[in-house]
Amino acid sequence: MSSPTTRATFDPLEDGFVAWPYDQYRRLRAEDPVHWSELLNAWVITRYDDVNAILRDPTVSVEIDKAEPTPNTRAEIERRNATTEGGRTLVLLDDPDHARLRKLVAKPFRPSEIERLAQLVHDRVDARVEELIARHGRDEVVELDLVAEFLYPLPVEIFCEMLGIPQEDQPIFRVWVNCIARSLDPVMDADERDELVLRIIEMYAFLQDLVDTKRGSGDNDILTALIHAEEDGVALTREELIAQIMTLYVAGHEPTAGLVGNSVVALFRFPEQRALLEADRSMLRPAMTELLRYDGPNQFVRRVALRDMTFETPRGNVTVPAGAVLYLSPASANHDEARWGPTVEEVDFTRDASGHLQFGAGIHACLGLHLARLQAEVMFSAILDRFADIEPAGEPIWSTRMVIRGLQQLPVRARLR
Ligand code: HEM
């Protein structure tokens, strides 16, 4: 394995990384775009063309069992075996298993099905703003944490409602979802890992009971639809179903909340773009697309090389051996000057950002992207419409997660209306 000394290093613990990881990605792209990370025991890939090509490459795998074992992969396999009772999530399976599961899960996420949910999403978002007004006062200038009071609860609430989870059980889902999202990070200590495993087992047990209750219920929600979904006479087993539901929660919640929060910070940074959007709401879709490019939540997706792969880089050819783990960074790819030009670090709602890789690409491309767009657009519009004159009221605090970037706190001042 070629792992020569390099200048640029991938270090998610470096000061300032969580606030703005893009400087480190820029150095990596320039000096060492196919970078061996001792910390991850894996290769970190940061250029647009490489990330895009590998995402679509049928000779890479998402199955960690196909990697040459390292301490990191062993810990992950142990954690998975301790929590999922044999149910496997489609994100971490190759075809043909992946294709079978994806077909069974995909129906409720098609554009036509998602369009039907628009009213539910609007209603939940409006209800949340009304709750805030009841708490803080209408037309008063107030300070609040946008993350805790608005961004974070909403995607879980909406998804619980879509799945038919009783309202009183929703707060614990936020804790569980947080634990699963954290468990995606490759670096953590043993105590934290044990705590996460316990929490994930709790969620699993809750969902087992719920699936059993729903099975004969005739309810009209996504969970009941998934219980009864069949392709060619084959349905999901209970374990498979629960594994997919857990995936949907994490896949759907953290990134959506993260995207809207990151986008608000971006608007504070680029007031002229905010003015453009406020003056012309038909810009909302291209604006969200550009904001996905500029600071979307997904920093890394992981793959396993199944053959030796050679890349031309500024320090010569680098060969990644079969069995190596790759961390591809869509976030870095979306800031690659070679793809986007010299204004890459600026938000520009007139840019055609549709080639961004925030939703991945290839067979694992985001299944929930229509739902993600719907939720993000409704939440973002509500912030523009109902949080009048919104401005920062303190420094944002970023979460320390490496894979899904988002805010822990975003203190803002606004007049709720
Ligand atoms: C802004 C929000 C979102 C972003 C940025 C995002 C991003 C991504 C990315 C990058 C992948 C590919 C992972 C890989 O290649 O390994 C992915 C897959 C996936 N996403 Fe999303 N996602 C978002 C929201 C959602 C929502 C709302 C749902 C559904 C509730 C969802 C469900 C999924 C599922 C099920 C997969 C796995 C697809 C497969 O393996 O075939 N995502 N997402």
Side-chain angles (χ1 to χ4, degrees):
M1 180 177 301
S2 46
S3 50
T5 337
T6 57
R7 282 162 294 160
T9 285
F10 175 66
D11 179 8
L13 307 173
E14 185 187 61
D15 258 5
F17 180 83
V18 296
W20 192 248
Y22 300 96
D23 290 338
Q24 209 180 97
Y25 300 152
R26 189 181 55 244
R27 290 199 298 274
L28 285 167
R29 282 192 310 271
E31 296 173 24
D32 195 15
V34 180
H35 170 77
W36 171 251
S37 162
E38 293 289 344
L39 180 72
L40 302 181
N41 269 309
W43 296 84
V44 176
I45 315 276
T46 44
R47 286 185 303 209
Y48 183 96
D49 286 348
D50 296 334
V51 174
N52 192 31
I54 298 172
L55 284 170
R56 297 165 199 274
D57 185 339
T59 70
V60 298
S61 168
V62 294
E63 296 187 11
I64 197 67
D65 308 73
K66 292 183 179 162
E68 280 296 314
T70 69
N72 308 55
T73 63
R74 278 196 210 98
E76 175 168 339
I77 291 170
E78 238 171 62
R79 189 165 71 228
R80 182 197 64 198
N81 293 345
T83 51
T84 61
E85 295 197 15
R88 295 283 186 263
T89 151
L90 79 164
V91 197
L92 299 178
L93 285 170
D94 296 336
D95 285 351
D97 283 333
H98 163 264
R100 176 179 62 85
L101 292 172
R102 185 158 170 136
K103 232 173 169 182
L104 285 164
V105 176
K107 190 160 171 265
F109 298 97
R110 288 180 195 151
S112 55
E113 307 285 327
I114 294 302
E115 253 166 52
R116 284 216 287 272
L117 293 171
Q119 198 53 50
L120 183 154
V121 175
H122 278 282
D123 290 349
R124 280 310 318 159
V125 172
D126 284 345
R128 170 69 39 183
V129 178
E130 289 302 329
E131 278 166 43
L132 290 179
I133 289 174
R135 196 174 317 146
H136 295 283
R138 192 181 297 276
D139 277 326
E140 309 270 344
V141 175
V142 294
E143 285 187 11
L144 53 87
D145 175 9
L146 196 68
V147 174
E149 300 215 47
F150 188 74
L151 300 175
Y152 220 69
L154 266 171
V156 173
E157 268 173 38
I158 292 168
F159 204 60
C160 281
E161 201 152 321
M162 285 167 60
L163 281 179
I165 308 274
Q167 209 147 44
E168 64 274 16
D169 294 319
Q170 296 183 8
I172 185 69
F173 268 85
R174 286 216 290 280
V175 177
W176 287 334
V177 169
N178 215 343
C179 289
I180 309 184
R182 173 71 176 133
S183 78
L184 299 178
D185 273 3
V187 189
M188 83 184 70
D189 66 37
D191 285 351
E192 185 174 6
R193 177 165 309 123
D194 291 349
E195 168 68 21
L196 291 179
V197 166
L198 285 179
R199 288 303 196 155
I200 295 170
I201 290 171
E202 243 173 58
M203 182 176 184
Y204 199 91
F206 178 95
L207 286 172
Q208 275 181 326
D209 288 346
L210 190 68
V211 167
D212 292 342
T213 317
K214 289 262 177 198
R215 199 172 287 282
S217 72
D219 285 353
N220 180 22
D221 53 52
I222 291 185
L223 184 52
T224 314
L226 290 175
I227 292 171
H228 298 295
E230 258 184 44
E231 277 288 326
D232 307 324
V234 184
L236 293 163
T237 65
R238 186 172 76 162
E239 284 64 36
E240 282 175 345
L241 174 60
I242 293 168
Q244 309 325 306
I245 300 284
M246 289 171 84
T247 296
L248 289 170
Y249 261 105
V250 183
H253 173 249
E254 293 277 342
T256 309
L259 169 63
V260 183
N262 300 1
S263 298
V264 172
V265 173
L267 275 203
F268 292 158
R269 243 178 242 151
F270 294 91
E272 74 298 340
Q273 296 297 309
R274 172 178 176 175
L276 210 64
L277 184 57
E278 282 174 343
D280 178 4
R281 260 338 152 68
S282 70
M283 301 277 298
L284 186 63
R285 174 59 59 93
M288 276 325 303
T289 307
E290 167 68 348
L291 290 164
L292 275 155
R293 181 202 68 78
Y294 173 73
D295 196 10
N298 243 293
Q299 303 298 294
F300 292 97
V301 298
R302 195 187 56 198
R303 294 293 186 266
V304 176
L306 298 180
R307 61 178 168 88
D308 289 1
M309 301 171 96
T310 299
F311 300 85
E312 274 178 37
T313 81
R315 60 186 186 83
N317 281 356
V318 175
T319 296
V320 169
V325 174
L326 316 175
Y327 278 87
L328 318 175
S329 176
S332 170
N334 289 342
H335 277 234
D336 187 345
E337 307 77 347
R339 166 65 176 79
W340 303 98
T343 60
V344 72
E345 302 273 297
E346 286 163 29
V347 169
D348 175 2
F349 293 158
T350 64
R351 185 199 308 271
D352 175 8
S354 55
H356 74 78
L357 296 177
Q358 264 302 310
F359 289 124
I363 62 166
H364 288 278
C366 181
L367 181 77
L369 79 97
H370 303 289
L371 177 62
R373 279 215 196 104
L374 171 67
Q375 287 195 53
E377 287 178 9
V378 174
M379 287 167 70
F380 200 60
S381 291
I383 292 169
L384 294 171
D385 290 336
R386 307 200 60 186
F387 291 69
D389 308 320
I390 187 167
E391 59 179 10
E395 281 301 305
I397 298 179
W398 295 91
S399 117
T400 52
R401 281 188 314 256
M402 180 191 118
V403 172
I404 301 175
R405 167 174 163 75
L407 291 155
Q408 246 164 27
Q409 277 178 35
L410 180 56
V412 296
R413 195 172 300 113
R415 189 167 46 81
L416 299 174
R417 59 183 182 193

